[in-house]
Amino acid sequence: MKEGISIKGQVIDLHTHILPEMDDGSDSLHTSAEMLHAFGEENVDVICATPHYFRSRESIARFVERRAAAAELFAGLYTPEKEEQYPQILLGAETAFFFGISECEDLDALCIEGTKTLLLEMPFRKWSSTEISEVLSLKLDRGLKVILAHPERYEFCDSNRKMLQKMMNLPMGIQVNADILLSLWSRRQGLRLLREAAWPLLGSDAHNMQERRPRLAEGRKVIAHRLGTTFLEEMDENTAWLLGIQEEDGT
């Protein structure tokens, strides 16, 4: 895999399921190779590999062990002739919320590689104040940078919409999926969430090469057209800051 100093201005996909046989994403190394090629064609510079983590299914230690094995297999795709064509990979997780998450001692192992940034998936049910308090504690007490994955999926009841609005006003990353911007019936919701978020972000949430293929570049075009290139640049700055990426001069 590529190594080296990342610089501001790179195109980064914060949310992918590209590692082979980790979850409901890539089902084989062949699929991962196809996805990697597609990301290269889209001129994506950095991919965060974020397989699902469910506390109810396995320990963090076991997840990290499986992820390392998948990443080692995946690294074989980075042959010398492909090295410069393929994006840099950062390992992470899409961590499903669980009660007690804010006090979980080994949670840092699920953060995006080299950062204190956690990609968090909220429950697909009506939230209570307990969930929101735990999320706030991740930031205030644990000092983590939190990215809320695909907020568009949580707006199925009024109480969730109200709680989500409060979260969006906080210094927390709000990562909309690119696909929602590519459908006429859902585009308005996606653009609204990006406009209303204090820290708007974009990810592909790519799982395969069929119905959930890499489409980050297409989503970025919609943002540039509908919200403006300045908005897109500011969004990229948010992403770079969450990953600790600096400008070339180190400032």
Side-chain angles (χ1 to χ4, degrees):
M1 299 185 208
K2 281 191 192 176
E3 295 181 356
I5 299 173
S6 299
I7 61 170
K8 183 178 176 182
Q10 290 186 316
V11 175
I12 302 167
D13 194 332
L14 287 166
H15 185 174
T16 76
H17 296 265
I18 195 171
L19 293 183
E21 301 182 56
M22 276 294 295
D23 54 13
D24 62 340
S26 171
D27 59 1
S28 66
L29 187 60
H30 175 72
T31 297
S32 296
E34 290 185 323
M35 293 174 69
L36 189 60
H37 178 74
F39 278 117
E41 290 288 302
E42 287 200 328
N43 296 314
V44 175
D45 298 298
V46 180
I47 298 172
C48 296
T50 53
H52 287 288
Y53 173 72
F54 299 100
R55 182 72 162 184
S56 60
R57 299 182 185 178
E58 62 185 331
S59 68
I60 292 178
R62 174 55 182 155
F63 171 84
V64 170
E65 180 182 338
R66 288 199 306 117
R67 187 182 65 184
E72 183 176 0
L73 184 65
F74 184 81
L77 298 174
Y78 281 78
T79 57
E81 62 271 17
K82 297 290 186 182
E83 187 83 15
E84 295 304 317
Q85 300 177 30
Y86 287 164
Q88 177 183 355
I89 301 295
L90 298 178
L91 299 180
E94 181 182 5
T95 303
F97 176 91
F98 57 90
F99 289 110
I101 189 172
S102 61
E103 298 179 358
C104 180
E105 293 183 357
D106 46 354
L107 196 64
D108 285 11
L110 300 177
C111 290
I112 295 172
E113 185 178 352
T115 77
K116 297 274 284 184
T117 299
L118 183 74
L119 180 66
L120 181 67
E121 180 177 64
M122 292 296 286
F124 295 99
R125 53 172 167 75
K126 186 177 180 180
W127 301 339
S128 70
S129 58
T130 302
E131 282 97 337
I132 306 307
S133 295
E134 287 238 42
V135 174
L136 291 177
S137 183
L138 288 172
K139 177 174 178 55
L140 299 177
D141 299 326
R142 295 291 300 273
L144 298 182
K145 298 174 183 177
V146 178
I147 299 175
L148 186 67
H150 43 60
E152 60 271 16
R153 298 185 184 178
Y154 310 129
E155 293 192 310
F156 49 78
C157 64
D158 288 339
S159 60
N160 275 20
R161 279 191 288 270
K162 291 177 181 177
M163 290 186 180
L164 178 60
Q165 189 62 53
K166 291 180 180 179
M167 294 171 73
M168 289 173 63
N169 291 329
L170 298 171
M172 176 186 301
I174 303 296
Q175 179 261 302
V176 169
N177 279 0
D179 278 356
I180 196 175
L181 302 176
L182 306 180
S183 171
L184 291 177
W185 69 268
S186 61
R187 180 176 298 165
R188 180 176 296 181
Q189 180 193 20
L191 292 173
R192 172 180 57 80
L193 288 167
L194 288 169
R195 282 195 301 265
E196 293 178 355
W199 289 357
L201 304 166
L202 190 70
S204 71
D205 196 5
H207 277 61
N208 50 50
M209 287 301 295
Q210 288 75 48
E211 69 279 359
R212 302 185 70 179
R213 62 183 177 83
R215 301 178 77 182
L216 188 74
E218 295 174 65
R220 289 174 61 85
K221 287 179 182 178
V222 173
I223 292 173
H225 177 67
R226 297 296 296 273
L227 301 180
T229 55
T230 298
F231 187 98
L232 184 64
E233 290 169 0
E234 291 175 351
M235 188 185 71
D236 287 344
E237 289 176 3
N238 293 337
T239 304
W241 183 80
L242 284 165
L243 298 186
I245 293 173
Q246 305 294 323
E247 296 185 49
E248 285 186 295
D249 61 4
T251 59

